[in-house]
Amino acid sequence: MPDAVGEKAHIVYRDSSQVEPGGCLLKATEYLLATWLQAPKSRRREPGRLALRPAQLHEHLEDTNVLLFKQKLASLRIRNPGLGNPRPVITKLALSSNDYDFAGGHLVSSPTTIPARRLHTSSATKHQLKTHSTSGPEVDASTLPNIGKVGIRQHLKLWQEQRNQERSEAGAANSQPSGKLDTPVTRPSEDDASNILETADSTPHDYLNADNTTEVDDDGVTDNQSYLRTGDVVAFRTQHDLMLAIFVRQVGSQAQFYNVQGRWLQQPIRKVAHSIPRMFSLPEVKPILPYLPLEEINNDELDQLDAVDASVPRSIGAGLVHKLQAFHRESAEVYRDNAERIDGLHPLVAHEWKSRELSLLEIASIVLQKPDSQDLTEAMLFTIHKAITQNSSFCSLGNWIDPLWKVNPLKQIRDYEQVKQWLRAHLEVVIEQATSSEELSARKMQDENTARSNPVPRFIRKARNLIRKSRVHREVTTDSSIGLRPRKIETGSPDPDALITISNMTVFDADERMIIDYLKEWALSMDMPPIRGTWSLSPMLLRAIGMYEGHDLNPRTGALLLKELGIIAPWENNTPYRPILRHLPYKGDPEALRHWNVASQSASSFVSNGGLRKDSLEGLRKDWGDMNVYCIDSPGAADIDDGVSVEKIEGQDSRFWIHIHIASPAAFIMPGSDIAQSAAMLSQSLYLPEKVYPMLDRELSQRCFSLANDRPVLTFSAEITTNGEILTKKVTPGWIRKTKRITQGRIGRELGLNTGSRPLVSHSLTVGQPLASEKHTTSKETPLSISEISELRLLCQLALTRRLKYGVANLPRAPPVPEPIVYMQPGGMAPTFSQYCGRQFIGDPTISWKPTEWSLADAPVRNHAREAVESLMIIAGETAAQWCGERNIPIPYRGTVRNPSLATTPEAFQAEVLNPVRNEMGYIPQLYRNIHFVVTGGPTIQSSPLPHGFLNVDAYARVTSPLRRYTDMIAHWQIQAALRHEALYGEDSLIGGTDDTYLPFSRAKIDAMLPAIVNRERRLSTVLSRSNRHWVMQLLHRAFHYKQAPLPAVFDVLVNMEKAMVPDPHGEALASVRQFSSFDTELIENDVSKQAGGIRLGDWWEARIERVDASGFQTMLQMVPVRLTERQGTDITKKFGSGPNFRMY
């Protein structure tokens, strides 16, 4: 711990005999020091002073007597060289509502003993059940008007006036400032502070508030809901615990709850970890509504809620509280009856050497020995969820809708415990050195350094050596980035085109590799929860290395260490290392690697042995003959999933057949085969800028299934009129013989479909060494005849007319997705970088990006060709869903479910908000786009048809990308089985039937599969967006700091969210950069913006780049205003309401 003059400190103990290995004093020292070292310098208190939350202390010292710890802590001293006698390490320790003063080594305040058993008597629960007190005179809440009647702001104002009056009467000596009240009910922990959503001061309009005055009709509402209903019980995450509350209603961007204390609170919905539907009815909840506010509460007001009477009268809420308490007692009984298995649940569900992904139902069934999940009660599920939350061997991958965890393998846990023992043993030697004579200390350190049993000293020596060598060529910045090292091409180089060469320098032994794995989990994957020993010991290892003075010792610096060691590349994209991508083979997961290798071997065998001869639809396929099939895709697309064609109906001028031909791999790949299992593990192809992970083997896909002449297809057809009405739908297996490859751009040019007020302007940004012999792959477009151009024109006209029937026609266009291209060696393929030897990387990747000048406020060219293709794909999905729905075939149907508690309908929101905002501003700001999505309904997937609000169709399913999406393959397998069945028993014989024995997947099986599939799709989408952002930021970092590419002096930025609207309380206003395809940037308040009256939604500013942070953990582009160029005459948020920022959904 640093001292007042910044010198290095040594920890000593008054009674060194109490420093037993792994004992409470040693653990406490580790934790307290790590807390200090990890805290940003701006948040550190003066040396020798540290605040520690009781839950944190308790989690860390779960196996110790807390009273003994507090007594021992009094003996902790800090010795500063040259400053005389040792001083107390901790002068003040904040625990619960008591302060413990260790000044002079004496315990001033009596501690409160906390039970060792944590599952049902955790510190969070204790906070929940006790009454919070504040210093100073009490305020008589009965003299204040009801919150629900006057509003929270007026209530707080009246309370503050009365509070100030009484404080002045009582004297300032006994007062405590308001706004600093920390309670687990009204304020999140310091680590979760960013979860609070700051909102504008204006009261949200009615269309954003819930109207819960009538019963909600549950008819037709799926249980797979993406919203909460009044009366649902939820559990919030606290520090390694769950706290129960009742969901009352949505209030703007916040959800309103009523907890077991009889108090109301408002939190973002994303803090919910567990839900129990329909525990309370609306009539049961209705009586408390008059006592609750009808508006959002900002951070400052949340701070004061503990002082305000935020409780409902006991006589009103007693029934709710008693029912919650009864449920808690039921959960405690479940625990008592199964304590041994619940306490040891991880070994019961974990595999010896591979990670597992298990749902809450699966874990509870195993632990509680209930093979039939229907035997699991809500209390059982809650109890197991609570136990999982308190176990560091599980990593959450899901959310409150579909709880899912990665279960760490047993061997990994044993290895990490071994590393912890090594680190503690090394720390103990360091402490003994500080407490012993110099001669004895030197001998002990020498003995420890030469000991073969502890690899930590060896690892530290190797790390220091590698870091010094790395810094000769690559500088280190304070934001934990490292600089560039150009590669010089020598004459006669064996690989002159290679951008990067790697020099192997140091080999780590097996024990040292365990330390590296431990660091990778902490620094890259973010798997390890805090307070479990890891977040205290890992920073101490960084400190022991002694090369990171001035850096916060946190996972960000841990990643910097791994880069300087050469374990990962200096430019590494950290996102794929997180547990959400455990199934990628290059992550090193043995099971994923095994599946990948087996599937690759099976694919090679399939291709070489003529796999296309084994067609499950043999004899049923229609030969489409000379019909033109137009494959419309990007120039470099490798896997062509779909093609389209149009067919005239004889004797009809206003009716045509549109055929969407889809690749048919599912007819040749059987469910459960090695190839299918590998596809299921990956879920979908992942196209990262640095590497592509195809769901199906690339050779298998391109040589057998990607659309070309003489390829099998599954065709979805719709008979459509010239006014866009669909009359008939059908599904037909077939062979296509005549394909035409064409791009959307060419269609737009050939047909003159692109219209708009101004042309799109693109420019290329490239950093890095130019490629000498890079061969760019481009598709060879097929020449088109006049008749073929006429066919394409008819196809696009029919599709665009149909588009007017779909909801997408009225949706504001989303910003372009950034798509950087990364080259690391000829061909653009990324080598596998994560290794176990110390290396130096010579050279850096070439990164290219072609952004377009684009913003929501512009009226750019409309890409009608793209819109036509989108509409054709929707027609295919609509056709498949209706065809399967008529036959009661369970497939992954996609749709939206509206939250019935919202007071407005999509139509009303469109008429009352979106259209007026568009008329006022000329475009739809991102804020109102977000609200529109929530009002329309949350997306969901289920095994039965449901309406899709965004597309305005009765049913929809994805079927057009079976080469890239596993859910599409599932749908194809089901449809193929139905086609074979109807071939035997008659066309349409399955319509209205309920038999599903002929299907490869029953409805129960589909239902069981969907949560994991949905979860993985969501995670992959997040990884893709973060990876794209990572590489764009790498490019901008090198262009800005190293001048590798020219950048404008100023940029045009459009403000999308004012500072008060962003989720992070410490965040700045968010804007989009027109020159960078609306790429997000933080716009930082400065004197220029203050003189202009602040930064407002809809402002256009000229801004310059202030900072580019591309370290991989907090990729951040920051700009500062230079000049206000345009401002709306009306403050749009005051006129229409700022509403909620619903991005947390």
Side-chain angles (χ1 to χ4, degrees), residues 20 23-25 28 57-58 61-73 111-116:
E20 67 274 19
C24 67
L25 185 56
L57 175 65
H58 223 195
L61 303 178
E62 56 185 331
D63 59 342
T64 67
N65 182 291
V66 177
L67 177 58
L68 176 63
F69 160 68
K70 294 171 184 173
Q71 293 170 341
K72 287 184 177 181
L73 194 61
T112 303
T113 302
I114 306 178

Side-chain angles (χ1 to χ4, degrees), residues 96-205:
S96 187
S97 59
N98 297 322
D99 285 337
Y100 300 91
D101 195 345
F102 293 96
H106 300 292
L107 190 63
V108 176
S109 179
S110 300
T112 303
T113 302
I114 306 178
R117 171 76 58 188
R118 297 178 295 109
L119 186 60
H120 291 284
T121 56
S122 67
S123 55
T125 304
K126 285 186 152 312
H127 274 290
Q128 179 186 1
L129 296 176
K130 77 171 190 170
T131 302
H132 297 283
S133 61
T134 57
S135 58
E138 293 294 326
V139 176
D140 184 2
S142 64
T143 64
L144 299 176
N146 187 286
I147 292 177
K149 294 180 179 179
V150 302
I152 183 62
R153 291 174 177 79
Q154 181 65 16
H155 192 95
L156 285 171
K157 180 179 179 181
L158 295 173
W159 171 84
Q160 189 66 50
E161 292 174 354
Q162 185 171 342
R163 172 79 167 175
N164 290 339
Q165 179 180 358
E166 303 227 6
R167 283 178 59 180
S168 62
E169 294 172 357
N174 295 325
S175 67
Q176 175 175 329
S178 62
K180 299 295 181 183
L181 303 170
D182 295 333
T183 75
V185 174
T186 62
R187 183 179 177 88
S189 66
E190 195 172 308
D191 294 335
D192 294 330
S194 62
N195 289 339
I196 290 295
L197 178 64
E198 290 188 350
T199 56
D201 289 335
S202 58
T203 301
H205 287 218

Side-chain angles (χ1 to χ4, degrees), residues 750-807:
E750 293 275 6
L751 305 183
L753 291 180
N754 293 342
T755 59
S757 61
R758 71 176 185 86
L760 291 173
V761 178
S762 298
H763 56 280
S764 181
L765 283 174
T766 300
V767 296
Q769 177 181 324
L771 301 177
S773 60
E774 179 66 28
K775 295 181 180 179
H776 299 279
T777 56
T778 57
S779 64
K780 295 181 180 180
E781 294 189 76
T782 308
L784 298 178
S785 66
I786 295 177
S787 62
E788 290 166 347
I789 292 176
S790 177
E791 276 190 342
L792 274 173
R793 187 182 303 278
L794 176 60
L795 255 176
C796 290
Q797 288 174 345
L798 292 172
L800 291 173
T801 303
R802 177 63 183 173
R803 184 180 179 84
L804 298 177
K805 305 289 184 181
Y806 294 136

Side-chain angles (χ1 to χ4, degrees), residues 803 807-815 854 856 866-867 909-910 914-915 918 923-926 928-930 932-933 936 950:
R803 184 180 179 84
V808 291
N810 299 318
L811 291 179
R813 173 62 62 185
W854 192 96
L856 287 171
R866 181 181 60 188
E867 293 175 354
F909 184 78
Q910 178 86 31
L914 282 189
N915 292 341
R918 195 199 312 260
Y923 72 103
I924 303 294
Q926 187 65 43
Y928 293 97
R929 287 168 50 85
N930 295 338
H932 168 73
F933 290 142
T936 302
F950 293 127

Side-chain angles (χ1 to χ4, degrees), residues 689-693 822-825 827-833 1031:
E690 70 270 31
K691 191 171 179 64
V692 175
Y693 297 93
V822 179
Y823 301 97
M824 297 192 192
Q825 62 185 33
M829 181 61 69
T832 300
F833 283 130
W1031 288 108

Side-chain angles (χ1 to χ4, degrees), residues 643-689:
V644 295
S645 59
V646 62
E647 180 183 2
K648 293 183 179 181
I649 299 176
E650 188 174 353
Q652 296 290 334
D653 295 330
S654 61
R655 288 161 46 196
F656 303 87
W657 279 104
I658 286 180
H659 306 294
I660 301 95
H661 309 279
I662 309 300
S664 186
F668 303 86
I669 300 171
M670 295 300 102
S673 65
D674 292 330
I675 297 175
Q677 289 184 48
S678 177
M681 175 171 283
L682 195 56
S683 291
Q684 66 184 54
S685 296
L686 183 61
Y687 299 91
L688 299 182

Side-chain angles (χ1 to χ4, degrees), residues 103 326 448 537 581 716 765 773:
E448 196 264 350
L537 293 172
L581 287 186
F716 299 89
L765 283 174
S773 60

